[in-house]
């Protein structure tokens, strides 16, 4: 009986702690950082937290952000999601309800960002997901219209089609392009459509559009048709698992033009499986540590000085999320959620470490640059930054 | 308030009803008037969903004693089914859509539970764990490959339909139904499967039915929890329902306590709330929780409430029905007599190259008391196992009351009228004496599944009939005083006796006793002899017993069969056997015999 009562008492104590009063922010601007610190992708969470701490320190070292004639410092509320959707939602709800945050940065993976975005949107608090590329994160699930308070710092999967089309037309000066994509994937389909649009806007012409379905292993029919059309380049937004097979079959058929892909290619696995066949090909990515952009170089140096390693794309995008927020907070001059939202959506030219960014009214997806990498001697090499 | 009054409140069921009613009012009032902030409300809803998951997994892993890790898969099925219905099929904004979707999600999961349970009949322990582990992976990959539900990117578009009152209602409903299930004849079957599946089968428990039913009930509630979860987060993806999710549920079950409803409530609440309360620990939070579990396993391996129950959820002590029932002896339940009760002929059984029983034959009338003796390894217990259906004979035929029962399953043979005890006692040790006896009534219970889940209809009448009969049996053997004692805690002699009483509860016409006097002192053997004579006289059963105690065999049995190397080498009255040359040879060796 006594033990039972004791455990009941423990429970009530826990509930009381849960029920404790929230804090109100006063002299600081509280920003919630919701990251996958534990669980299946702790490296992502660590990069996000490191970059957040670095960004906050830089803002605070510079005196903070001016609000109502007073400089206010940034205070971070870092919460773990354990890479779980339910905990991401709880963390977001806690940051909003208990810690009264001005805005939220994170979560990074789309499976965590989506449920957190629902909470932020409902509460009317700005949330910037640094690394969530799922188009649905910033859209209202029922109406498919943009959410009002949810933004992201990365481009969506589809948006890369736009950047790549521009790069093919303007930098590579290609005149004729062919496309081969997985028709079963909605994302790859829209990516290809965007590529076609921007490539043709840049003066090129798409001469062949071929498709396949997930799981196909023989692409010779499609590749033969593409070869007949005689393109200068081939747009191939496949996942890295399909690319080696497709490229090797193309080379066997004598199709020897450069191929273009998306960030779905940006893994060492691709180079391992593809070998020399992929040499000279181009792909787009969020960011490259090899870039010559001075803003990016400065970030890389200070990150290295603080943590010893080269920042990855999550770190770069988290840093940019804070950069966007800093500008918006300064412009709003208040921690009022709606004012921050309005200021953020009016961002027209933010010089980020992952390229220049702007938001178009009514959309949480940035119009932003990308980096183009080339596979050279079995390594990814930075070629250029492409601005939209 | 003193401990005493607190305890009395705690034992009084009316407190539970009052709390439940208050809970319903609060679950409505809290969101309506914003009594608690949105964060606490969210956590409370997680607690409810986790209670449902934890309790339904406890049904399989705690009460039934299996090890399933398939709950994430069932949850996923429920979540996707319900979400598809509310988003694509049901009209939006109608009141019935959400409860209907939850039910449908539960049903879809239950159907999957059935599919998993059917081929898993024979798998227990590690094997069931592997089957259910594979199941979780299959569900995840299957959903990942269905583009219509978003594939690996997940499914969205659900309205925020999961509210505090709904979660509370489903949680209360789950506790109600699962508690009813446990305190029904199926529940006793579930516990018997955990204690000793083989013994349960010999006592007439349909273990297949019990296992499948338990799996279906448990997966139904996992599916409901999935539906609630999906409409709370408004987003689901196959990755959410991976093995990590199942592990989380396992942690809650073993934290709160196996085979305990109160334990599941406690485990799910503690785990969910602690995860939030410990947020300030940051990275150490996910280290502390598993550490807690390790410590718990060392100091309290069955969990905080392991195998115990809050007074509220215990079975209500029920008074005996209408006084003494009709009686338990044969005089009260006369049966038609048959000239030959058991007719075994040419029975042969081999284990690989070893012939354990060869051409064994035996005839018994319905009042015979026959002993089988023979040296160790003579094949005596194998004969028992063949007659009761544990083994299938390679050759030969077993007729019982004119019916061919060769090769039938133990449960069917028990139903035909043969009951047995075991060489090494196989009671349901963690169950009470009364429950041991009541479990043996499984086959003759009239209570259906729906009645067991709701405790409505014939449940009450059936339950009190079974209990009265069991109590009468105990009273007959002067064991009524031990009715609520734990069977494993009885002294050895009483355990032997209880096993015979349990066998008698299945109303056999033939009772097989496997070394009933093993390990007994001379005084206990004397009592046992008296007991056996009384059983035969009062219950009108034929008795076949294996025994090494010659004093018992020679004074109780009317006929003795001597077995050596799987064949009958002699048969006759005790006096004939004692001077039979082949018997002396088998027992004492060639020289002594000559």
């Amino acid at each position: 009986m006594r033990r039972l009562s004791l455990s009941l008492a423990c429970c009530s104590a826990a509930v009381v702690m849960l029920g404790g009063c929230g804090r109100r922010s006063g002299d600081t601007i509280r920003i919630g950082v919701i990251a996958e610190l534990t669980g299946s992708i702790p490296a992502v969470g660590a990069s996000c937290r490191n970059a957040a701490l670095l960004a906050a320190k830089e803002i605070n070292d510079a005196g903070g952000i001016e609000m109502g004639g007073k400089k206010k410092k940034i205070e971070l509320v870092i919460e773990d999601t354990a890479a779980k959707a339910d905990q991401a939602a709880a963390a977001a709800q806690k940051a909003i309800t208990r810690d009264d945050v001005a805005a939220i940065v994170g979560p990074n993976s789309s499976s965590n960002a989506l449920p957190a975005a629902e909470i932020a949107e409902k509460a009317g608090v700005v949330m910037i997901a640094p690394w969530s590329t799922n188009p649905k994160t910033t859209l209202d699930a029922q109406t498919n219209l943009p959410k009002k308070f949810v933004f992201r710092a990365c481009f969506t999967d589809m948006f890369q089609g736009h950047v790549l089309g521009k790069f093919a037309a303007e930098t590579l000066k290609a005149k004729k392009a062919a496309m081969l994509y997985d028709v079963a994937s909605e994302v790859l389909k829209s990516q290809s459509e965007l590529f076609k649009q921007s490539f043709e806007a840049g003066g090129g012409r798409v001469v062949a559009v071929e498709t396949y379905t997930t799981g196909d292993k023989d692409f010779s029919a499609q590749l033969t048709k593409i070869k007949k059309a005689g393109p200068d380049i081939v747009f191939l937004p496949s996942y890295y698992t399909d690319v080696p097979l497709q490229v090797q079959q193309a080379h066997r058929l004598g199709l020897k033009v450069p191929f273009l892909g998306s960030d779905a290619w940006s893994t060492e696995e691709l180079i391992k499986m593809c070998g020399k066949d992929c040499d000279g090909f181009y792909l787009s990515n969020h960011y490259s540590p090899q870039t010559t952009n001075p803003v990016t170089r400065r970030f890389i140096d200070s990150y290295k000085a603080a943590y010893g390693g080269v920042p990855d794309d999550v770190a770069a995008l988290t840093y940019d999320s804070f950069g966007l927020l800093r500008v918006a907070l300064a412009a709003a001059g208040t921690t009022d959620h709606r004012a921050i939202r309005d200021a953020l959506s009016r961002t027209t030219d933010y010089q980020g470490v992952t390229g220049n960014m702007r938001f178009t009214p009514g959309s949480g997806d940035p119009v932003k640059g990308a980096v183009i990498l080339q596979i050279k001697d079995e390594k990814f090499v930075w070629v250029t930054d492409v601005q939209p | 308030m003193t401990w005493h009054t607190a305890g009395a409140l705690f034992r009084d069921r009316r407190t539970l009803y009052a709390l439940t009613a208050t809970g319903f009012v609060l679950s409505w009032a809290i969101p309506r008037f914003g009594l608690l902030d949105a964060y606490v409300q969210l956590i409370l809803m997680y607690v409810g969903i986790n209670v449902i998951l934890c309790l339904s997994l406890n049904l399989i892993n705690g009460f039934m004693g299996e090890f399933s890790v398939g709950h994430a898969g069932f949850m996923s099925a429920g979540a996707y089914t319900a979400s598809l219905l509310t988003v694509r099929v049901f009209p939006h904004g109608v009141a019935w859509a959400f409860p209907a979707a939850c039910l449908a999600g539960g049903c879809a999961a239950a159907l999957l539970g059935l599919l998993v349970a059917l081929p898993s009949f024979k798998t227990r322990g590690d094997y069931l764990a592997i089957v259910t582990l594979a199941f979780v992976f299959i569900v995840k990959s299957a959903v990942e490959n269905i583009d219509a539900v978003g594939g690996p990117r997940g499914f969205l578009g659900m309205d925020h339909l999961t509210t505090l009152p709904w979660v509370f209602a489903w949680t209360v409903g789950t506790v109600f139904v699962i508690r009813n299930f446990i305190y029904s004849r199926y529940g006793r079957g579930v516990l018997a499967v955990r204690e000793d599946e083989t013994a349960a089968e010999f006592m007439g428990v349909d273990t297949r039915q019990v296992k499948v039913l338990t799996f279906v009930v448990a997966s139904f509630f996992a599916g409901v929890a999935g539906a609630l979860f999906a409409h709370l987060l408004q987003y689901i993806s196959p990755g959410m329902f991976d093995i990590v999710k199942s592990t989380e549920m396992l942690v809650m079950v073993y934290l709160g306590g196996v085979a305990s409803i109160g334990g599941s409530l406690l485990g799910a609440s503690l785990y969910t709330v602690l995860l939030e309360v410990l947020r300030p620990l940051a990275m150490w939070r996910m280290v502390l929780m598993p550490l807690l579990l390790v410590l718990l396993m060392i100091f309290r391996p069955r969990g905080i409430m392991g195998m115990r129950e809050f007074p509220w959820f215990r079975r209500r002590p029920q008074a005996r029905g209408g006084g003494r029932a009709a009686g338990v002896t044969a005089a009260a339940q006369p049966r038609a007599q048959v000239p030959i009760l058991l007719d075994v002929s040419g029975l042969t059984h081999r284990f690989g190259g070893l012939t354990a029983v060869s051409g064994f034959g035996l005839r018994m009338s319905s009042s015979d008391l026959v002993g089988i003796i023979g040296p160790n390894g003579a094949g005596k217990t194998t004969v028992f196992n063949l007659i009761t259906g544990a083994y299938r004979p390679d050759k030969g035929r077993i007729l019982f009351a004119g019916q061919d029962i060769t090769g039938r399953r133990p449960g069917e043979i028990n139903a035909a009228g043969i009951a047995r005890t075991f060489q090494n006692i196989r009671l349901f040790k963690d169950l009470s004496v009364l429950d041991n006896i009541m479990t043996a009534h499984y086959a003759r219970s009239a209570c259906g599944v729906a009645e067991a889940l709701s405790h409505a209809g014939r449940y009450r009448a059936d339950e009190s009939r079974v209990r009265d009969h069991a109590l009468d049996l105990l009273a007959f053997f002067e064991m009524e005083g031990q009715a609520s004692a734990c069977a494993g805690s009885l002294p050895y002699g009483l355990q032997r006796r209880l096993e015979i009483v349990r066998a008698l509860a299945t109303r056999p016409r033939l009772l097989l006793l496997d070394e009933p006097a093993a390990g007994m002192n001379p005084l206990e053997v004397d009592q046992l002899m008296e007991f056996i004579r009384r059983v035969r006289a009062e219950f009108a059963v034929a008795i076949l017993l294996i025994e090494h105690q010659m004093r018992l065999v020679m004074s109780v049995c009317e006929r003795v069969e001597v077995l050596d190397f799987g064949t009958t080498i002699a048969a006759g009255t005790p006096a004939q056997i004692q001077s039979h040359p082949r018997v002396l040879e088998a027992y004492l060796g060639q020289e002594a015999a000559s």
Side-chain angles (χ1 to χ4, degrees), chain A residues 25-350:
Chain A
S25 56
D27 296 337
T28 57
I29 304 166
R30 221 174 268 145
I31 309 281
V33 176
I34 297 173
E36 299 79 349
L37 297 173
T38 58
S40 53
I41 45 171
V44 168
S47 289
C48 177
R49 186 195 47 198
N50 288 348
L53 288 169
L54 180 68
K57 183 174 178 291
E58 285 179 5
I59 296 170
N60 290 342
D61 285 351
I65 295 168
E66 192 169 310
M67 270 182 190
K70 222 167 90 183
K71 287 260 187 181
K72 283 190 179 183
K73 301 230 161 153
I74 298 276
E75 183 191 342
L76 296 186
V77 178
I78 301 177
E79 295 290 353
D80 178 25
T81 71
K84 287 179 193 150
D86 50 341
Q87 287 211 31
Q93 190 69 65
K94 173 178 178 281
I96 293 166
T97 315
R98 283 301 161 86
D99 299 312
D100 193 27
V101 294
I104 292 172
V105 172
N108 296 289
S109 76
S110 292
S111 68
N112 282 208
L114 274 158
E118 288 294 336
I119 301 265
E121 178 73 6
K122 210 170 297 152
V125 175
V126 167
M127 171 181 135
I128 307 179
W131 194 57
S132 167
T133 51
N134 189 331
K136 304 256 164 92
T137 306
T138 52
L139 296 181
D140 184 296
Q142 260 100 28
T143 59
N144 247 6
L145 294 171
K147 286 195 178 96
K148 293 196 166 62
F149 287 87
V150 180
F151 297 79
R152 73 177 101 222
C154 55
F155 45 63
T156 62
D157 295 343
M158 276 116 86
F159 184 74
Q160 293 177 75
H162 175 77
V163 177
L164 283 161
K166 196 169 158 177
F167 168 72
E170 289 174 9
T171 313
L172 293 182
K173 313 254 181 260
K175 291 279 162 247
K176 291 188 282 181
M179 311 199 292
L180 175 64
Y181 62 90
D182 184 348
V183 75
S185 160
E186 204 184 315
V187 175
L188 300 185
K189 213 164 102 189
S190 16
Q191 212 173 66
S192 305
E193 276 155 19
L194 272 173
F195 174 86
K196 183 164 187 264
Q197 249 176 45
S198 75
F199 183 67
E200 292 188 339
R205 193 161 59 84
V206 172
V207 291
V209 179
E210 294 296 326
T211 61
Y212 63 95
T213 304
T214 316
D216 283 0
K217 295 284 172 238
D218 180 24
F219 309 94
S220 46
Q222 294 96 319
L223 290 166
T224 310
K225 278 189 204 158
I226 288 177
K227 191 183 172 223
K228 258 190 213 141
D232 306 322
I233 51 133
V234 179
F235 181 56
L236 185 70
S238 310
Y239 289 108
Y240 72 93
T241 40
D242 289 336
V243 173
L245 212 57
Q246 292 163 334
V247 169
Q248 278 150 13
Q249 286 180 19
H251 285 179
R252 225 171 294 141
L253 291 168
L255 182 62
K256 297 234 160 87
V257 294
F259 281 60
L260 253 73
S262 67
D263 71 328
W265 286 23
S266 74
T267 158
E268 298 292 333
E269 284 298 303
L270 175 82
I271 295 180
K272 252 186 247 161
M273 296 195 298
C274 200
K276 288 247 173 299
D277 279 310
C278 281
D279 214 51
F281 289 7
Y282 299 94
L283 60 144
S284 60
N285 206 350
H286 297 283
Y287 141 92
S288 164
Q290 296 163 340
T291 177
T292 53
N293 179 343
V295 180
T296 316
R297 290 253 58 98
R298 198 162 52 238
F299 162 67
I300 292 170
D301 290 341
S302 46
Y303 191 94
K304 266 188 188 161
Y307 304 108
V310 177
D312 59 10
D313 48 356
V314 177
L317 290 165
T318 304
Y319 188 83
D320 271 349
S321 304
F322 270 88
L324 285 165
L325 214 46
R326 179 188 199 168
V327 174
L329 282 167
T334 160
T335 50
D336 178 70
H337 295 137
R338 195 162 285 275
I340 299 172
R341 195 278 313 268
D342 291 342
L344 190 58
S345 63
R346 276 196 301 265
T347 306
T348 47
D349 183 31
Y350 168 70

Side-chain angles (χ1 to χ4, degrees), chain B residues 53 57 68-80 109 112 132 135-137 139-140 222-223 226 238-249:
Chain B
L53 287 170
L57 183 62
S68 163
V69 295
H71 252 46
F74 299 128
M75 192 184 174
S76 175
Y80 271 94
L112 270 185
T132 48
F135 168 73
V136 171
F137 282 105
V139 170
K140 181 167 174 276
M240 283 182 192
F241 308 106
D242 59 357
I243 192 68
V244 178
K245 190 85 201 166
S246 285
T247 317
E248 230 177 34
M249 297 177 217

Side-chain angles (χ1 to χ4, degrees), chain B residues 553-567:
Chain B
V553 176
M554 295 307 167
S555 66
V556 160
C557 298
E558 287 138 9
R559 250 169 56 217
V560 178
E561 302 262 330
V562 187
L563 227 62
D564 197 16
F565 295 112
T567 29

